[in-house]
Amino acid sequence: MRQNTATRRTRYLQLGLPAAVIGALAGTLVAAPAEAASAPSTVERQRFTPLGLVPAEAPPAAYVVQPGDTVAAIAERFGLPTVDVLTWNGLSWRSVIYPGQTLILQAPAVAAAAPAAVEAVAPAATIHTVVAGDTVYAIAAQYGTTVDAVLAANGLTRDSVIYPGQALAVSGSAAPAAAAPAAVPVTTTATATHVVVAGDTVFGIAQAYGTTTQALFALNGLDGSSIIYPGQTIAVQGAPAPAPAAAVAAPEATALTDEQAANAALIIRIGRELGASDRAVAIALATGMVESGLRNLDWGDRDSLGIFQQRPSTGWGSPEQIMDADRSTRVFYGGSNDPNGLTTRGLLDIPGWESMTFTDAAQAVQISAYPDKYGQWEAQAYAWLALHG
């Protein structure tokens, strides 16, 4: 036994390794397999953690609303903008959905419908591109047709608003020479024209020219719900007198309370920071007046809140975020600095909003059940902009 022990010691000494080192190496070799076995487990968990993230589902053509669903939640689930889901289903930001209701989650196929419409009107229609100052009445007279025929050919009503650049189908051929004689007996000796400027109203124009609003409506094919806009040419009775010079002045602004004035100043300031035009700021002011009376309300229709009556249930933000007047105003303007990102669509995100009528631009953001109200505050909005800007 001693001889064997001595022999082993001699071998260790020949290796030149102390016994303590050899013992440590042995312990390491024994422990290594356990660590090696556990290492893959750790790496495996790190590798597969991202697989737990669930991507947005591919949207089906239609979806049946379940209890607890909101339009914003459905849109987020399928990776769609909330405003698109509302538009495809004819809903507004204030609409309420209910369990069992079927929602369309894909854009309607309008490409196939377009040729049919063109094919139907092409043989008997001419296209007229609207320019500043045009009215449906004047266009109908120019092409020797009627207001009702133009409205019917374009799917419009007497409450519809046309805008520069819009293409209208008109029956018959363009024949200005033929139209002129028909207009001469009525307008040559008793009618002048007035070019609308910012701040004008039909009532103010009628007073300036010594006529009535009803007479202006009849001359221009308008009614009480019609909206006039800067650059539009209005036919007026009587010879123009010095009075029209006074008519172009902006009207006196409706007095605002301290709260309203502070909110108007906030809307103007943020608009300036974002580089928005005067028209964009005026639209924001008018929208705030229609929605809340330019007050930061903590109540409203259903769950609507704030100056612009935005709804948490449709993705405009949490109640606290919407009640933050600064944030909610930036969300209304939208654009690249929109706090909501692509969840909602602000005024600056609307394609071609600059060429839309005042009412249509505001409605494109708010999707209101009462769109005609915004235009009623256009003149006042410009006056507030001049006063508080």
Side-chain angles (χ1 to χ4, degrees):
M1 291 293 292
R2 288 193 188 121
Q3 185 175 1
N4 292 336
T5 301
T7 302
R8 285 195 298 273
R9 287 177 180 173
T10 302
R11 291 174 182 169
Y12 294 151
L13 290 173
Q14 289 174 345
L15 290 171
L17 297 172
V21 173
I22 294 172
L25 289 172
T28 302
L29 292 173
V30 171
E35 293 180 8
S38 63
S41 175
T42 303
V43 173
E44 197 72 14
R45 285 195 297 273
Q46 293 175 348
R47 180 179 301 144
F48 288 103
T49 298
L51 295 179
L53 299 175
V54 179
E57 301 177 37
Y63 173 81
V64 178
V65 177
Q66 303 299 314
D69 274 346
T70 65
V71 175
I74 295 170
E76 182 178 2
R77 173 179 172 184
F78 294 105
L80 299 169
T82 303
V83 69
D84 286 351
V85 177
L86 293 173
T87 303
W88 295 338
N89 291 276
L91 303 176
S92 73
W93 291 109
R94 297 186 179 183
S95 298
V96 175
I97 60 174
Y98 51 86
Q101 181 178 358
T102 300
L103 296 180
I104 297 171
L105 297 186
Q106 293 182 2
V110 296
V118 173
E119 194 172 337
V121 300
T126 301
I127 301 301
H128 174 85
T129 301
V130 178
V131 297
D134 271 352
T135 65
V136 176
Y137 174 82
I139 294 170
Q142 177 182 350
Y143 288 89
T145 184
T146 65
V147 171
D148 289 335
V150 175
L151 295 177
N154 295 277
L156 304 175
T157 68
R158 289 188 176 271
D159 293 330
S160 300
V161 177
I162 61 174
Y163 53 88
Q166 182 178 3
L168 295 181
V170 289
S171 58
S173 303
V184 168
V186 178
T187 62
T188 299
T189 59
T191 302
T193 58
H194 172 83
V195 178
V196 178
V197 297
D200 272 352
T201 63
V202 175
F203 176 76
I205 296 171
Q207 284 190 320
Y209 288 89
T211 185
T212 66
T213 54
Q214 293 303 319
L216 294 187
F217 289 155
L219 278 171
N220 296 278
L222 306 176
D223 59 32
S225 63
S226 300
I227 297 170
I228 61 175
Y229 53 87
Q232 181 177 0
T233 300
I234 298 291
V236 292
Q237 286 184 343
V248 301
E252 182 179 352
T254 298
L256 299 178
T257 65
D258 290 343
E259 178 187 7
Q260 290 173 321
N263 288 327
L266 172 72
I267 292 171
I268 295 169
R269 175 179 62 78
I270 293 175
R272 297 291 188 234
E273 289 179 9
L274 298 176
S277 65
D278 283 357
R279 181 174 173 79
V281 175
I283 291 171
L285 289 169
T287 302
M289 177 56 76
V290 170
E291 296 293 346
S292 66
L294 280 175
R295 295 170 295 163
N296 197 25
L297 302 179
D298 60 359
W299 55 273
D301 178 55
R302 300 182 179 87
D303 59 338
S304 300
L305 298 169
I307 297 175
F308 299 97
Q309 289 291 278
Q310 297 158 343
R311 296 182 61 189
S313 62
T314 53
W316 287 96
S318 67
E320 294 76 15
Q321 290 174 328
I322 294 175
M323 288 302 297
D324 180 343
D326 185 290
R327 185 185 190 280
S328 64
T329 300
R330 295 178 188 277
V331 168
F332 174 83
Y333 282 119
S336 59
N337 296 313
D338 190 338
N340 281 347
L342 299 178
T343 303
T344 53
R345 184 173 64 179
L347 177 64
L348 303 180
D349 302 316
I350 307 298
W353 71 268
E354 300 95 333
S355 62
M356 293 181 180
T357 63
F358 201 86
T359 288
D360 289 347
Q363 171 67 357
V365 180
Q366 298 298 105
I367 314 182
S368 170
Y370 306 100
D372 293 336
K373 291 185 177 181
Y374 302 117
Q376 297 172 10
W377 290 96
E378 180 174 1
Q380 291 296 321
Y382 281 106
W384 293 328
L385 176 58
L387 183 62
H388 299 284

